[in-house]
Amino acid sequence: MCGSKSSIVISNEEYIANNIFESTSLSCGTVEYEVGGEYCVRKSGAVENVFLYGVEYVPEGMDGYVNQQHHHHHGTMKSHGWREALDGIRNVARELCLTAPRREEDGVAVKEAKIGIFAFCQDMLVFPYIKRKGHNGSNEEDDEEELAVAIVSDVTEDPFCPLPLNSWSYNVGDGLESKEWYRFCRVLDSFTELMEQLSGESSPQQQQYNDKWKRNCGGAALVALSDALKDSGGRGTLITTRRPNYGVGALRDREAVTKYGIGSSSEQKLFTPLQQLVQRNNDAVGMIKDKPAGLFYKKLGEECAKNRVCLDIVVTSSSVSVPSTDPKQLNKNPNMREFLDVATLG
C-alpha cells in the first residue's frame, strides 16, 4: 500500500510506443491499493515502542484444505505455520527484552518495549490475556493470575479491539527475568490449547467439512491492530496464510481466471490497483465486490498514517526442504517455511 501515487507510473500507451516492456505486470506495477491525500497527516508526539501481532490459526492437518482456493496453480500444498509464528514472536520478545531503549521518566531510567498477540480464524478474533483472579486482602502483586480471553465475533461490519492495549500487551523491556516476560510466555505456551478448545474437539477429517475453515477474516484483524494502536502508535503485523475472503476487507480472487497472457485484458486487471480497476470495471459482479474493498483499504491506510501506525502483512509460504550443511545429516532435509512480507499500510 502506498501513501502517495507513484512518480514512475507510465501509461500503457507509452510502454507500447517506446517498446520498453511487454508485460502488463510491469506497466501497471504491483501496487494493490493507492492511498491518496496529504502525505504529512500524522499526530504530534513520540511513537511508543509497541509491537502487536495478529496470527491466523488453522489446526494442524487442515493446511491443504483451507488453501484449496488460494493460488489455484499451487494446488493444496501446505502453507501455514501457526507454531512457527508463535516461536518467531517469542524470539522477537526475547530480543526486545535485551535491546529495549532507555528513556527518562520523572528522573528515573525506564526501559519500555510492549508486545501483544491475538489470533483470528473462521469468523472471530481471539484475544488472550492475563488477569487477576481477585484480591486477597494483601498486596495486589501477590494475587493469583489466570488466563482469560476476549472474543470479537463481529467481523463483517464494525470490528474493533475489545481490550485496552495495556490489558493484552506486556512490557518485556525489563529483561528476561521480569514478570512481564513470564506473563507473555504463559500466553504463548497456552495459546495453542486455547485455540483447540475454541475451535472444537473434532478431528481434522471432521473439521474439513466445515466451510467456516475456508474463511479468512484478515481484514477485521487489520482493523483490530489499527484500533489498538490508534493512541500509542507503533507497529502491527498480520501473519496469514492467504488473502482475506470474509468480512470487512474481503478480496475476491482476481487470479482465478481461466487463462491470461502477456498484454491481455485479464492480465491488465490482475495487476491494476483496485481503486483504478473499480473506476473502469465493466463487470457488475466484480465492481460490487471490488468497490467496498477499495474504500476499506484506502480508509484504513489513511487512518494508519494519521495515527502513526505501521501495519505489515506477512503471508506464510509453503514449506520447502533445505539440505543440511552438517555432514552427519546429509540424508536429512529439514522443512523450513518462508514468510513473505507482501504489504505495508501506514
Coordinates of all heavy atoms in Angstrom, one line a residue, residues 32-33 69 243-246 249-257 266 269-270 272 274 277-278 281-291 293 297:
E32 N -1.3 -2.8 -5.0 CA -2.7 -3.3 -4.9 C -3.6 -2.2 -4.6 O -4.7 -2.1 -5.1 CB -2.8 -4.4 -3.8 CG -4.1 -5.2 -3.9 CD -4.1 -6.1 -5.0 OE1 -3.1 -6.3 -5.7 OE2 -5.2 -6.7 -5.3
Y33 N -3.2 -1.2 -3.7 CA -4.1 -0.1 -3.3 C -3.3 1.1 -3.2 O -2.2 1.1 -2.6 CB -4.8 -0.4 -2.0 CG -5.4 -1.8 -1.9 CD1 -4.8 -2.8 -1.3 CD2 -6.6 -2.0 -2.6 CE1 -5.3 -4.1 -1.3 CE2 -7.2 -3.3 -2.6 CZ -6.5 -4.3 -1.9 OH -7.0 -5.6 -1.9
Q69 N -8.4 -22.8 -2.4 CA -8.8 -21.7 -3.3 C -7.7 -20.6 -3.2 O -8.0 -19.5 -3.8 CB -10.1 -21.2 -2.9 CG -11.3 -22.2 -3.1 CD -12.6 -21.7 -2.8 OE1 -12.7 -20.5 -2.3 NE2 -13.6 -22.4 -3.0
R243 N -5.3 -14.6 1.3 CA -6.0 -13.3 1.2 C -7.2 -13.3 2.1 O -7.8 -14.4 2.3 CB -6.4 -13.0 -0.2 CG -7.4 -14.0 -0.8 CD -7.7 -13.8 -2.2 NE -8.5 -14.9 -2.8 CZ -9.8 -15.1 -2.6 NH1 -10.5 -14.2 -2.0 NH2 -10.3 -16.1 -3.1
P244 N -7.6 -12.2 2.6 CA -8.9 -12.1 3.4 C -10.1 -12.3 2.4 O -10.2 -11.7 1.4 CB -8.9 -10.7 4.0 CG -8.0 -9.9 3.1 CD -6.9 -10.9 2.6
N245 N -11.0 -13.2 2.8 CA -12.1 -13.6 1.9 C -13.4 -13.5 2.6 O -14.4 -13.9 2.0 CB -11.9 -14.9 1.3 CG -11.7 -16.0 2.3 OD1 -12.3 -16.0 3.4 ND2 -11.0 -17.1 1.9
Y246 N -13.4 -13.0 3.9 CA -14.7 -13.0 4.6 C -14.7 -11.7 5.5 O -13.7 -11.4 6.1 CB -14.8 -14.2 5.5 CG -16.1 -14.3 6.3 CD1 -17.3 -14.6 5.6 CD2 -16.1 -14.0 7.6 CE1 -18.5 -14.6 6.3 CE2 -17.3 -14.0 8.3 CZ -18.5 -14.3 7.7 OH -19.7 -14.4 8.4
G249 N -13.0 -5.9 4.3 CA -11.8 -6.0 3.6 C -11.6 -7.3 2.8 O -10.5 -7.6 2.3
A250 N -12.7 -8.0 2.6 CA -12.6 -9.3 1.8 C -12.2 -9.0 0.4 O -12.7 -8.0 -0.2 CB -13.9 -10.0 1.9
L251 N -11.3 -9.8 -0.2 CA -10.9 -9.6 -1.6 C -11.3 -10.8 -2.4 O -11.1 -11.9 -2.0 CB -9.4 -9.4 -1.6 CG -8.8 -8.3 -0.8 CD1 -7.3 -8.4 -0.8 CD2 -9.2 -6.9 -1.4
R252 N -11.8 -10.5 -3.6 CA -12.1 -11.7 -4.5 C -10.8 -12.1 -5.1 O -9.8 -11.3 -5.2 CB -13.1 -11.3 -5.5 CG -12.6 -10.2 -6.5 CD -13.7 -9.8 -7.5 NE -13.3 -8.8 -8.4 CZ -12.9 -9.1 -9.7 NH1 -12.9 -10.3 -10.1 NH2 -12.6 -8.1 -10.4
D253 N -10.7 -13.3 -5.6 CA -9.5 -13.9 -6.2 C -9.5 -13.4 -7.6 O -10.0 -14.0 -8.5 CB -9.6 -15.4 -6.1 CG -8.2 -16.0 -6.5 OD1 -7.3 -15.3 -6.9 OD2 -8.1 -17.3 -6.5
R254 N -8.7 -12.4 -7.8 CA -8.6 -11.8 -9.2 C -7.7 -12.7 -10.1 O -7.6 -12.5 -11.3 CB -8.0 -10.4 -9.2 CG -9.0 -9.4 -8.6 CD -8.6 -8.0 -9.0 NE -7.6 -7.5 -8.2 CZ -6.9 -6.4 -8.5 NH1 -7.1 -5.7 -9.6 NH2 -5.9 -6.0 -7.7
E255 N -7.0 -13.7 -9.4 CA -6.1 -14.5 -10.2 C -6.9 -15.8 -10.7 O -6.4 -16.5 -11.5 CB -5.0 -15.0 -9.3 CG -3.8 -15.6 -10.1 CD -2.6 -15.8 -9.1 OE1 -2.8 -15.7 -7.9 OE2 -1.6 -16.2 -9.6
A256 N -8.1 -15.9 -10.2 CA -8.9 -17.1 -10.6 C -9.6 -16.9 -12.0 O -10.8 -16.7 -12.0 CB -9.9 -17.5 -9.5
V257 N -8.8 -16.9 -13.0 CA -9.4 -16.7 -14.4 C -8.9 -17.9 -15.1 O -7.9 -18.6 -14.8 CB -8.9 -15.4 -15.0 CG1 -9.5 -14.2 -14.3 CG2 -7.4 -15.4 -15.1
S266 N -7.2 -9.5 -19.2 CA -7.2 -10.2 -17.9 C -6.0 -10.0 -17.1 O -6.0 -9.8 -15.9 CB -7.4 -11.7 -18.2 OG -8.6 -12.1 -18.8
K269 N -6.1 -6.4 -15.7 CA -6.9 -6.2 -14.5 C -6.2 -6.9 -13.3 O -6.4 -6.4 -12.2 CB -8.3 -6.9 -14.7 CG -9.2 -6.2 -15.7 CD -10.5 -6.9 -15.8 CE -11.4 -6.2 -16.8 NZ -12.7 -6.9 -16.9
L270 N -5.5 -7.9 -13.5 CA -4.8 -8.6 -12.4 C -3.8 -7.7 -11.7 O -3.7 -7.8 -10.5 CB -4.1 -9.9 -13.0 CG -3.3 -10.7 -11.9 CD1 -4.3 -11.3 -10.9 CD2 -2.6 -11.9 -12.7
T272 N -3.7 -4.3 -11.9 CA -4.2 -2.9 -11.8 C -4.6 -2.6 -10.3 O -5.3 -3.4 -9.7 CB -5.4 -2.6 -12.7 OG1 -5.0 -2.9 -14.0 CG2 -5.8 -1.2 -12.5
L274 N -6.6 -1.6 -7.2 CA -8.0 -1.9 -7.0 C -8.9 -0.6 -7.3 O -9.9 -0.7 -8.0 CB -8.3 -2.4 -5.6 CG -9.7 -3.0 -5.4 CD1 -10.0 -4.1 -6.4 CD2 -9.8 -3.5 -4.0
L277 N -9.2 -0.1 -10.9 CA -9.9 -1.2 -11.5 C -11.4 -0.9 -11.4 O -12.2 -1.1 -12.3 CB -9.6 -2.5 -10.9 CG -10.2 -3.8 -11.5 CD1 -9.8 -3.9 -13.0 CD2 -9.9 -5.0 -10.7
V278 N -11.8 -0.4 -10.2 CA -13.2 -0.1 -9.9 C -13.7 0.9 -10.9 O -14.8 0.9 -11.4 CB -13.4 0.3 -8.5 CG1 -14.8 0.9 -8.3 CG2 -13.1 -0.8 -7.5
N281 N -14.3 -0.8 -14.3 CA -14.7 -2.1 -14.3 C -16.1 -2.3 -14.9 O -17.0 -1.7 -14.4 CB -14.7 -2.7 -12.9 CG -14.8 -4.2 -12.8 OD1 -15.1 -4.8 -13.8 ND2 -14.5 -4.7 -11.6
N282 N -16.2 -3.0 -16.0 CA -17.5 -3.2 -16.7 C -18.2 -4.4 -16.1 O -19.4 -4.7 -16.5 CB -17.3 -3.4 -18.2 CG -16.7 -2.1 -18.8 OD1 -17.1 -1.0 -18.4 ND2 -15.8 -2.3 -19.8
D283 N -17.6 -5.2 -15.3 CA -18.2 -6.4 -14.7 C -18.9 -6.0 -13.4 O -18.3 -5.6 -12.4 CB -17.1 -7.4 -14.3 CG -17.6 -8.7 -13.7 OD1 -18.9 -8.8 -13.7 OD2 -16.8 -9.5 -13.3
A284 N -20.3 -6.0 -13.5 CA -21.1 -5.6 -12.4 C -20.8 -6.4 -11.1 O -20.7 -5.8 -10.0 CB -22.6 -5.7 -12.7
V285 N -20.6 -7.7 -11.3 CA -20.3 -8.5 -10.1 C -19.0 -8.1 -9.5 O -18.8 -8.0 -8.3 CB -20.3 -10.0 -10.5 CG1 -19.9 -10.9 -9.3 CG2 -21.7 -10.4 -11.0
G286 N -18.0 -8.0 -10.3 CA -16.7 -7.6 -9.9 C -16.7 -6.2 -9.2 O -16.0 -6.0 -8.1
M287 N -17.4 -5.3 -9.7 CA -17.5 -3.9 -9.1 C -18.1 -4.0 -7.8 O -17.7 -3.3 -6.8 CB -18.3 -3.0 -10.0 CG -18.4 -1.6 -9.5 SD -19.3 -0.5 -10.6 CE -18.1 -0.4 -12.0
I288 N -19.2 -4.8 -7.6 CA -19.8 -4.9 -6.3 C -18.9 -5.4 -5.3 O -18.9 -5.0 -4.1 CB -21.0 -5.9 -6.4 CG1 -22.1 -5.2 -7.3 CG2 -21.6 -6.2 -5.0 CD1 -23.3 -6.1 -7.5
K289 N -18.0 -6.3 -5.6 CA -17.0 -6.9 -4.7 C -15.8 -6.0 -4.5 O -15.2 -5.9 -3.4 CB -16.6 -8.3 -5.1 CG -17.7 -9.3 -5.1 CD -17.2 -10.7 -5.5 CE -18.3 -11.7 -5.5 NZ -17.8 -13.0 -5.9
D290 N -15.4 -5.3 -5.6 CA -14.1 -4.6 -5.5 C -14.3 -3.2 -4.8 O -13.4 -2.8 -4.1 CB -13.6 -4.3 -6.9 CG -13.0 -5.6 -7.5 OD1 -12.8 -6.6 -6.8 OD2 -12.8 -5.7 -8.8
K291 N -15.4 -2.5 -5.1 CA -15.5 -1.2 -4.6 C -15.5 -1.1 -3.1 O -14.7 -0.3 -2.5 CB -16.8 -0.5 -5.1 CG -16.9 0.9 -4.8 CD -18.1 1.6 -5.5 CE -18.2 3.1 -5.2 NZ -19.3 3.7 -5.9
A293 N -14.0 -3.1 -1.0 CA -12.7 -3.4 -0.6 C -11.7 -2.3 -0.8 O -10.9 -1.9 0.0 CB -12.2 -4.7 -1.3
Y297 N -9.6 -0.4 2.3 CA -8.2 -0.3 2.5 C -7.7 1.2 2.3 O -6.7 1.5 2.9 CB -7.5 -1.2 1.5 CG -7.6 -2.7 1.9 CD1 -8.5 -3.5 1.3 CD2 -6.9 -3.2 2.9 CE1 -8.7 -4.8 1.7 CE2 -7.0 -4.5 3.3 CZ -7.9 -5.3 2.7 OH -8.1 -6.6 3.1

